Amino acid sequence: MATTKKTASILSGLGIEERNLGGFAGEWIGSGKAQAVVSPVDGELLATVVNVTKDEFETILGRCHGAFAAWRQVPAPKRGEVVKAIGDELRANKDALARLVSLEMGKTLREGLGEVQEMIDICDFAVGLSRQLYGLTMPSERRRHRLQEQWHPLGVVGVITAFNFPVAVWSWNAALALVCGDTVLWKPSSKTPLTAVAVTHLAQRVLERHGFDPAICSLAIGKGSDIGDLINTDPRVALVSYTGSVPGGRHVGKLVIERFGRMILELGGNNAVIVSDKADLDIALKAVYFGAIGTSGQRCTSTRRVIVHESIYGTFVERLKALYAATTIGDPLDDQHLMGPLVDASAVATMLQAIETANGQGARVICGGETLDQPGGCYVTPCLVETTGNLPIVQEETFAPVVYVMPYRTLEEAIALQNGVPQGLSSAIITNDFVESEIFLSAEGSDCGIANVNTGTSGAEIGGAFGGEKETGGGRESGSDAWKAYMRRQTNALNFSGRIELAQGIELEL
Ligand code: NAD
């Protein structure tokens, strides 16, 4: 293997070999195209992954679907015990998995550790949930009748994930799906297949130890346009949970709705922070800065726009610029660096193109936006761009550390700017004014799925339902009652009156 000793020990500890099969459904399979996985950290070859063929996908889906028949009959709290054990395995492997996340996609180790912690947290949440899959009983309008609802397992959940949270997004879906009695078929991003192989090994160990069919957590690595489309179109996949770009979601959405499948769409954001003249500026600066440079601007909730009151605009921009200038950029596994590389060379090219387009549309670069000469070729400096509103380029999500700063005069104008883009994921206001924050959170305020006060746009906790409106797709995952999307609701009327009586008082003479 062309890896250093240190990298090799991380990989082997997680069951990653020089050559890995990209399919799993009780056994490891794969005979398609072999793909080299290169680290954006320094261009090092980490390992190869063999994609699955369409025939192999058929086998994988068949087994995952077959495993559902038995898994749905396991009592939910027992399913919870399995998820608890997955959480414990993650605890035991937290450091190694976090390092692999950093090596494969380039986020800093502290963020990699945070991502694995998020997996542990959602497992804990799901264990509790396994005893709380409540249905309601409602008063019946008929004498000696009972009206109730039950929640039943749904089937195979196809989990299609983006590169930027290569393992956490699987866990948000899988932990809930498993306690709900569903089986899971994961298609990870082709940019991050190794973390998916590692997590599947871990789930396999747990399922086998507990005497369950390991095909309950299946894996199919391959191109979105072939393996992804097989998931989109196969009626055996009861729910498609898709995390990715807006154009991708539009494609998936059409195919899934065509067969009346269910879906959760978690698509792109274009997240803004409003910095009021009544803000604590230290809080505002930190909230914006971390939201902008965290994961090198490659979070769906990354701060992309900052809408600053005109009276503090100059001061705020100067202070932010100073923070940008002091950003430490380099090897994400080295704790002194706040920013690692972008995921690959195409992400760098997209960033540079967006800056050029912004310039052409009348925006002005305040600082950053340069490439750095470092191994791997994926390091950039974070970029601040001044604009006077939502220019066409500002309305797009550029998945890189580019932030557009713009002034506002009234709160109404700021909220209109904040809402004036097609996406609706995350938003924030920094203010110490109670009325301002209440207006921002009210029906006339932010139109996003996430709206925060005095904290930034990124860094969601698993306890709340996560997702966004408009082009972000409307899906919700993770906490609150997001579990309901992973089950089918059944309404029951039970008659113990000894006679037949129709609802709405309809009489039938026989
Ligand atoms: P992407 O759209 O390029 O890919 C996402 C996934 O879709 C990958 O697994 C890819 O292989 C797959 N795919 C491609 N074609 C497909 C097809 N025809 N059918 C099914 N799947 C197909 O996205 P990316 O670059 O990996 O991730 C970045 C994007 O994801 C950004 O837009 C970001 O905002 C978004 N994202 C959203 C959330 C959220 O929760 N809202 C979270 C993370 C990332």
Side-chain angles (χ1 to χ4, degrees):
M1 198 183 294
T3 51
T4 61
K5 251 190 181 165
K6 211 165 141 202
T7 306
S9 86
I10 295 167
L11 296 174
S12 65
L14 292 167
I16 304 292
E17 293 169 3
E18 204 168 321
R19 183 174 171 277
N20 302 274
L21 303 185
F24 178 78
E27 62 177 325
W28 287 89
I29 40 184
S31 64
K33 205 174 153 221
Q35 178 199 339
V37 185
V38 173
S39 172
V41 173
D42 56 5
E44 179 184 28
L45 172 69
L46 295 174
T48 60
V49 172
V50 184
N51 287 350
V52 298
T53 62
K54 290 188 179 183
D55 285 346
E56 286 160 349
F57 175 82
E58 179 57 34
T59 305
I60 292 167
L61 177 54
R63 288 189 188 160
C64 189
H65 188 251
F68 172 64
W71 184 239
R72 68 182 166 183
Q73 294 186 50
V74 175
K78 294 266 175 241
R79 300 193 295 249
E81 282 172 21
V82 171
V83 173
K84 181 176 181 304
I86 292 176
D88 289 343
E89 279 282 335
L90 287 166
R91 277 185 183 88
N93 290 281
K94 181 175 172 180
D95 190 69
L97 186 57
R99 282 176 194 276
L100 180 57
V101 167
S102 293
L103 283 169
E104 194 175 38
M105 77 69 64
K107 68 174 63 176
T108 60
L109 178 57
R110 58 187 114 197
E111 289 183 302
L113 288 165
E115 174 159 358
V116 182
Q117 185 59 46
E118 207 169 332
M119 301 176 82
I120 295 167
D121 292 345
I122 193 68
C123 286
D124 287 351
F125 178 92
V127 175
L129 180 67
S130 70
R131 291 180 184 270
Q132 299 174 73
L133 302 169
Y134 302 136
L136 298 173
T137 57
M138 307 79 159
S140 170
E141 64 191 47
R142 289 171 285 185
R143 203 176 57 84
R144 289 198 160 176
H145 279 65
R146 176 150 58 88
L147 199 57
Q148 67 174 29
E149 68 182 15
Q150 304 186 78
W151 293 88
H152 290 309
L154 198 57
V156 175
V157 178
V159 180
I160 300 175
T161 54
F163 78 85
N164 64 326
F165 276 91
V167 287
V169 173
W170 172 82
S171 69
W172 291 357
N173 286 279
L176 297 197
L178 292 178
V179 297
C180 289
D182 303 326
T183 55
V184 178
L185 172 53
W186 185 9
K187 195 215 83 62
S189 164
S190 297
K191 294 180 184 177
T192 51
L194 293 180
T195 41
V197 170
V199 169
T200 302
H201 275 302
L202 187 148
Q204 176 190 1
R205 277 203 298 279
V206 171
L207 285 161
E208 284 173 351
R209 210 164 55 224
H210 283 74
F212 292 113
D213 182 349
I216 287 167
C217 287
S218 292
L219 176 72
I221 296 176
K223 272 178 70 179
S225 51
D226 45 42
I227 299 306
D229 272 348
L230 292 175
I231 293 176
N232 300 334
T233 49
D234 198 307
R236 286 172 295 178
V237 182
L239 169 68
V240 177
S241 176
Y242 176 84
T243 300
S245 61
V246 170
R250 194 167 274 127
H251 171 83
V252 171
K254 281 182 193 154
L255 293 179
V256 177
I257 206 67
E258 181 69 28
R259 62 174 174 91
F260 297 107
R262 286 207 203 172
M263 63 191 137
I264 297 173
L265 295 179
E266 297 280 352
L267 312 178
N270 194 347
N271 318 297
V273 176
I274 298 173
V275 182
S276 156
D277 52 331
K278 286 130 193 150
D280 176 327
L281 271 202
D282 289 335
I283 286 184
L285 280 160
K286 282 185 186 150
V288 167
Y289 181 65
F290 289 135
I293 65 133
T295 323
S296 301
Q298 298 169 114
R299 284 184 175 211
C300 52
T301 52
S302 288
T303 302
R304 312 234 171 262
R305 298 175 296 139
V306 191
I307 305 164
V308 188
H309 193 269
E310 59 179 7
S311 64
I312 53 162
Y313 183 82
T315 316
F316 181 82
V317 170
E318 275 315 304
R319 288 186 63 185
L320 190 57
K321 201 173 142 187
L323 279 180
Y324 266 55
T327 305
T328 47
I329 303 164
D331 180 353
L333 289 133
D334 181 338
D335 224 22
Q336 65 171 319
H337 296 134
L338 275 181
M339 228 179 95
L342 295 188
V343 69
D344 57 19
S346 80
V348 176
T350 304
M351 171 173 174
L352 299 180
Q353 180 59 55
I355 295 168
E356 201 181 314
T357 307
N359 260 323
Q361 291 177 1
R364 179 182 72 87
V365 173
I366 299 170
C367 64
E370 295 109 16
T371 53
L372 295 174
D373 187 19
Q374 293 202 26
C378 297
Y379 293 85
V380 294
T381 54
C383 183
L384 270 184
V385 180
E386 183 172 61
T387 161
T388 46
N390 295 320
L391 296 172
I393 186 68
V394 179
Q395 304 216 20
E396 289 175 23
E397 178 198 48
T398 299
F399 215 55
V402 179
V403 165
Y404 300 102
V405 198
M406 58 195 91
Y408 79 89
R409 193 165 290 167
T410 65
L411 182 63
E412 199 182 18
E413 187 193 337
I415 291 173
L417 280 169
Q418 133 73 40
N419 292 344
V421 292
Q423 310 82 355
L425 181 52
S426 187
S427 59
I429 189 167
I430 312 295
T431 182
N432 282 330
D433 186 294
F434 170 74
V435 175
E436 277 192 341
S437 81
E438 286 295 316
I439 291 173
F440 180 74
L441 297 181
S442 75
E444 63 189 279
S446 164
D447 64 1
C448 291
I450 298 168
N452 297 334
V453 176
N454 288 334
T455 186
T457 58
S458 81
E461 298 180 25
I462 59 98
F466 182 87
E469 303 299 331
K470 304 193 291 186
E471 286 193 355
T472 303
R476 292 295 185 277
E477 286 174 348
S478 200
S480 185
D481 64 352
W483 63 270
K484 289 180 176 170
Y486 300 81
M487 301 199 86
R488 65 182 167 86
R489 185 196 310 241
Q490 185 180 68
T491 302
N492 314 125
L494 294 95
N495 173 10
F496 53 99
S497 70
R499 54 191 283 273
I500 209 76
E501 188 183 342
L502 295 181
Q504 292 87 43
I506 295 170
E507 300 279 354
L508 256 192
E509 299 294 337
L510 288 183

